[in-house]
Amino acid sequence: MTHPRLARPQWWHDAVVYQIYPRSFADAHGDGLGDIPGITSRVGYLSALGVDAVWLSPFYPSQLADGGYDVDDYRDVDPRLGSLEEFDEMVAALHAAGIGVIVDLVPNHSSNRHAWFRAALAASPGSPERARYLFRDGADGGALPPNDWESLFGGSAWTPAGDGQWYLHLFAPEQPDLNWDNPEVRADFEHTLRFWSDRGVDGFRIDVAHGLVKNLAEPWPPQKEMEDWPRPDGSHPLWDRDELMNVYRSWRRVFDSYDPPRFAVAEAAVHPSRRARYASPETLGQAFNFAMQEADWRPDDFHRVIDAALSDVADTGSSTTWLLGCHDSPRVASRYGLPLIPEPRVFADLKGERPFRHDSQWLARQWLLTDGRAPEVDLPLGRRRARAAVLVEFALPGCTYVYQGDELGLPEVADLPREVLQDPMAGRSTREKGRDGCRVPLPWASDRHALGGNSFGFGSDGAHLPQPDWFGDFAVDVQEADPTSSLAMYRQALELRASLTATPPGEFEWVAGPSGLLHFRRGAWHCLTNFTDEPLPRPEGEVLLCSAPEGAAGGVPANATVWLRSE
Ligand code: NOJ
């Protein structure tokens, strides 16, 4: 029987979804790699945290050329992570706790070890095997790539097949792009959607949802022109083509053939004006909005991002998605500890109306690029602001995604030695450190040797990415014993949020206040955030929660959020 929480139609509209990066969450097998039984063993933790669903990054068989986003077989579990039976047990345990399961689908590319790609390489040019991917004849009699397009991970987007043809990969060479004009590819992915839906998964996160369908008609625009992105009109040959929606409309028929209907969230890095197409109830249902993750610690930035996100979804019948971090970006606690540049570098979108990238995001990237030598990161301040920011998200209408470890206020591990880096982005240029700093296995215990291992309770062995000594200070057991910890605040906030939204709260409204304060309300539930370094006065009312350990007796503390009940 479906748990009542998940039986609600469109339960995901206002869900809190916890992102699990399976290889770094919990290791039950004791081999240094997180796994499916590890997740099952931590259902109690997820339940106590109060999340509505988990999204699992890929757990499929993979050589890990891109952290599992290079899939060898879409309908199996990597044997190092478990088995299909263990997957079923995990789903049953999560469902029994009222927690939904969202799995990551990677349809833009398979891995080069997928049976189809092996067959394609073994077959000859023009064969049906090659027609599942995007092979083209090389230039100069096959000696050179067909054109100058570059992969998003650096280097040419083409790799030679060895017989004069080259295949397209917008990411790593181990990630050949599939040919979505081929009906066989379309049918196979519908099969995969049914395979996991039949096993009880509640939804899908669609990787690179704006890719898939491409127009490779010649003449090919040069790389320089390809960099004109995002576009408001679907005119790019590789990204956000109008034809994509035919694929998603047909997936919708699959989703709606289940009770309750399955849902999907698009990872679509598109022009804001195009996001609604992915979030429509006729296509995927929801689309990530990354603007909050890119907003700096400034009230105006938050105000703008919130207004834009709420107006974007107003007509779609969807709900917006708030998120501060994921497995692709520097940890929020570190990011908010970076200095703000007085003249923010705002890259406006094409209409020039919406913020696209702000300065601390830009700085954080520089920080990764410069071998982890951070420009003055004030970590206590960053962690304090991260706590304040997540209370803003939890108070807003819509769905919030929380990246594993952010509930602990974990900082970025910025100084991982080069030789341990796993991300394909690392090493493709001389300075790029890549995304491993936010993917280090979680510390569950302050004792490095808990469970007889060397991984702060992650498992009974080591950790596949090395954890620094200071990881123990952030461990779950330390935070469970401290009522002022980040974890304790998350638990309290989610419990309160559940009760405050049990009956729909009033309409979202901005409330005017002193400079430096962001204040909105939903009926009697007020959310006030102080972006300055001094306390600010607050209205009368019952303090429900304060992100700062010192509490809200003296007003809204500096760099903090207060939830207030006031008529
Ligand atoms: C987006 C995923 O979030 C990222 O981790 C991955 O590298 C690319 N898509 C390619 O699959």
Side-chain angles (χ1 to χ4, degrees):
M1 212 194 74
T2 312
H3 190 283
R5 186 155 21 149
L6 303 171
R8 267 192 312 131
Q10 301 182 323
W11 59 268
W12 44 271
H13 259 205
D14 56 359
V16 174
V17 182
Y18 184 86
Q19 182 192 352
I20 293 182
Y21 193 74
R23 290 175 179 82
S24 299
F25 183 66
D27 167 23
H29 292 155
D31 56 4
L33 210 57
D35 45 45
I36 297 289
I39 299 172
T40 311
S41 74
R42 298 295 181 180
V43 170
Y45 174 80
L46 298 165
S47 190
L49 184 56
V51 297
D52 301 295
V54 290
W55 146 32
L56 267 50
S57 281
F59 49 82
Y60 316 106
S62 169
Q63 69 200 300
L64 304 183
D66 180 19
Y69 285 90
D70 46 322
V71 179
D72 297 351
D73 179 349
Y74 291 92
R75 298 189 284 271
D76 205 353
V77 174
D78 189 325
R80 288 167 297 179
L81 268 64
S83 61
L84 281 170
E85 290 67 36
E86 285 170 328
F87 180 86
D88 293 342
E89 283 161 22
M90 176 199 72
V91 172
L94 286 163
H95 279 173
I99 299 174
V101 181
I102 298 167
V103 299
D104 218 312
L105 189 75
V106 190
N108 180 67
H109 43 265
S110 73
S111 97
N112 61 348
R113 304 199 315 177
H114 191 285
W116 275 0
F117 193 72
R118 290 174 196 257
L121 281 187
S124 45
S127 61
E129 286 83 358
R130 290 224 168 161
R132 295 175 182 134
Y133 292 90
L134 298 167
F135 284 83
R136 292 291 181 274
D137 293 335
D140 201 13
L144 295 175
N147 59 37
D148 68 343
W149 293 352
E150 286 170 16
S151 126
L152 292 175
F153 287 163
S156 171
W158 299 93
T159 288
D163 54 11
Q165 283 215 312
W166 296 60
Y167 66 89
L168 182 73
H169 53 87
L170 298 180
F171 295 90
E174 296 87 351
Q175 294 168 296
D177 281 50
L178 286 155
N179 173 13
W180 276 85
D181 288 333
N182 185 331
E184 207 189 338
V185 170
R186 294 191 183 214
D188 195 71
F189 273 88
E190 293 197 10
H191 181 181
T192 298
L193 290 175
R194 289 191 185 282
F195 178 86
W196 294 109
S197 298
D198 289 345
R199 298 196 101 89
V201 316
D202 304 277
F204 298 87
R205 178 261 189 193
I206 311 301
D207 188 64
V208 197
H210 57 306
L212 282 64
V213 180
K214 297 165 178 94
N215 176 7
L216 295 192
E218 296 182 55
W220 291 310
Q223 171 65 20
K224 218 170 156 29
E225 231 170 88
M226 303 292 278
E227 286 163 14
D228 169 19
W229 178 253
R231 297 184 190 178
D233 56 7
S235 65
H236 196 283
L238 303 180
W239 305 120
D240 189 30
R241 309 274 317 157
D242 289 343
E243 308 88 276
L244 253 177
M245 294 305 135
N246 297 333
V247 174
Y248 296 144
R249 273 191 284 271
S250 119
W251 288 11
R252 171 53 52 191
R253 287 193 284 279
V254 177
F255 299 149
D256 287 351
S257 68
Y258 288 87
D259 180 22
R262 302 323 192 217
F263 98 102
V265 54
E267 188 228 11
V270 294
H271 191 277
S273 64
R274 305 268 297 177
R275 200 178 294 125
R277 297 153 45 80
Y278 297 81
S280 151
E282 276 144 36
T283 59
L284 296 175
Q286 198 181 57
F288 281 130
N289 180 341
F290 295 107
M292 199 66 151
Q293 183 178 257
E294 288 158 7
D296 275 333
W297 188 248
R298 289 194 172 88
D300 293 353
D301 288 12
F302 271 58
H303 198 297
R304 237 185 353 238
V305 161
I306 293 168
D307 269 347
L310 293 179
S311 85
D312 276 355
V313 291
D315 307 323
T316 61
S318 183
S319 67
T320 192
T321 58
W322 310 109
L323 60 95
L324 294 170
C326 69
H327 65 295
D328 288 332
S329 49
R331 287 272 184 194
V332 58
S334 299
R335 184 158 56 84
Y336 280 146
L338 289 163
L340 284 167
I341 302 177
E343 287 297 318
R345 289 173 58 103
V346 177
F347 296 84
D349 72 12
L350 292 183
K351 280 191 279 168
E353 289 164 0
R354 304 256 172 94
F356 188 61
R357 278 247 190 303
H358 276 195
D359 59 329
S360 70
Q361 180 73 15
W362 174 80
L363 257 179
R365 233 188 118 59
Q366 295 308 304
W367 172 28
L368 290 181
L369 287 170
T370 51
D371 259 342
R373 278 189 296 277
E376 313 157 44
V377 179
D378 182 341
L379 203 48
L381 182 63
R383 295 187 73 204
R384 191 175 162 96
R385 289 173 171 171
R387 289 170 67 139
V390 82
L391 288 196
V392 174
E393 291 195 333
F394 288 159
L396 285 165
C399 176
T400 303
Y401 286 79
V402 174
Y403 178 51
Q404 70 176 38
D406 279 353
E407 77 280 18
L408 305 175
L410 266 187
E412 179 84 359
V413 184
D415 54 359
L416 286 168
R418 178 156 295 279
E419 59 279 9
V420 305
L421 297 181
Q422 301 172 1
D423 183 1
M425 283 184 108
R428 289 232 151 90
S429 86
T430 48
R431 295 189 308 155
E432 178 72 71
K433 283 211 69 162
R435 301 162 292 179
D436 291 314
C438 68
R439 299 174 178 183
V440 175
L442 292 192
W444 292 91
S446 54
D447 173 7
R448 192 184 254 286
H449 301 293
L451 301 179
N454 181 20
S455 57
F456 296 106
F458 169 64
S460 57
D461 195 0
H464 68 97
L465 278 168
Q467 300 153 304
D469 287 338
W470 50 262
F471 244 38
D473 301 342
F474 292 82
V476 172
D477 64 356
V478 176
Q479 301 208 23
E480 280 184 328
D482 174 3
T484 67
S485 69
S486 172
L487 178 61
M489 186 205 78
Y490 265 73
R491 287 181 176 174
Q492 243 186 308
L494 291 182
E495 198 181 336
L496 259 169
R497 172 186 157 110
S499 72
L500 290 165
T501 54
T503 51
E507 285 294 301
F508 172 92
E509 269 179 88
W510 290 113
V511 182
S515 155
L517 191 79
L518 185 84
H519 183 178
F520 61 84
R521 64 186 293 176
R522 295 169 74 193
W525 178 15
H526 291 245
C527 179
L528 300 100
T529 305
N530 179 353
F531 286 77
T532 75
D533 295 328
E534 301 296 331
L536 285 172
R538 64 169 174 82
E540 290 296 307
E542 177 198 351
V543 174
L544 300 171
L545 190 60
C546 176
S547 66
E550 68 266 29
V556 186
N559 295 298
T561 292
V562 172
W563 285 0
L564 208 65
R565 195 197 312 270
S566 170
E567 289 309 326

